[in-house]
Amino acid sequence: MTYEGLFIYHERLPEDRVEGITAQVRAEIEKHGGKVLEVRSMGRRAFARPMQKCEAGWFVNVYFEMTPDKVVALAPRFHLMEDVFRTQISKLPKGIPPPPAPREDRPPRDDHDYRGPHDRYSR
């Protein structure tokens, strides 16, 4: 079966350590008999609301193949990793989805300085 693992790392991590933590996640998947198909880093993103006094995190999607019984044993292993803030593993019914195409009709969103229309005059 094909699975998608969404991993959120702590915001306190410097950007150069994100790849190292992702390598640890890959190693854990492979140690449990899985095969990593693709890794997509989504960068640092702000949360919709603060969670456990954190405002943002580093988001990474890992697509892998593994038998369902081994996924059950794998999931708790990520809770033991100090730098992994949250984990969600989902079964994909139709394989890996294509990466989203960048939208050209608007500039990329800046999560650090977002103000809605009601905040137009605040500053």
Side-chain angles (χ1 to χ4, degrees), residues 5-98:
L6 173 63
F7 297 90
I8 304 174
Y9 307 144
H10 279 284
E11 67 180 335
R12 69 175 182 260
L13 283 176
E15 188 172 0
D16 57 342
R17 290 249 351 255
V18 171
E19 288 184 27
I21 303 301
T22 303
Q24 291 177 2
V25 167
R26 289 178 71 126
E28 197 67 38
I29 291 170
E30 291 169 355
K31 186 171 98 176
H32 281 80
K35 178 184 173 189
V36 176
L37 303 173
E38 188 174 343
V39 176
R40 294 182 190 164
S41 179
M42 295 185 286
R44 187 176 187 277
R45 293 185 175 201
F47 298 146
R49 59 182 169 79
M51 292 188 290
Q52 299 176 6
K53 299 181 182 179
C54 290
E55 299 286 329
W58 297 95
F59 285 66
V60 176
N61 276 335
V62 179
Y63 298 95
F64 60 96
E65 289 180 344
M66 185 178 277
T67 59
D69 58 327
K70 292 185 179 181
V71 171
V72 173
L74 174 70
R77 299 290 302 167
F78 298 121
H79 297 292
L80 300 175
M81 293 181 161
E82 184 177 312
D83 294 320
V84 176
F85 183 70
R86 293 278 169 106
T87 303
Q88 179 180 343
I89 298 176
S90 307
K91 184 170 44 171
L92 295 175
K94 298 181 182 178
I96 301 174

Side-chain angles (χ1 to χ4, degrees), residues 42-49 55-57 59 102-116:
M42 295 185 286
R44 187 176 187 277
R45 293 185 175 201
F47 298 146
R49 59 182 169 79
E55 299 286 329
F59 285 66
R103 292 187 57 178
E104 297 176 12
D105 58 340
R106 64 178 177 179
R109 190 174 111 187
D110 183 12
D111 288 334
H112 305 291
D113 191 27
Y114 176 75
R115 291 185 305 269

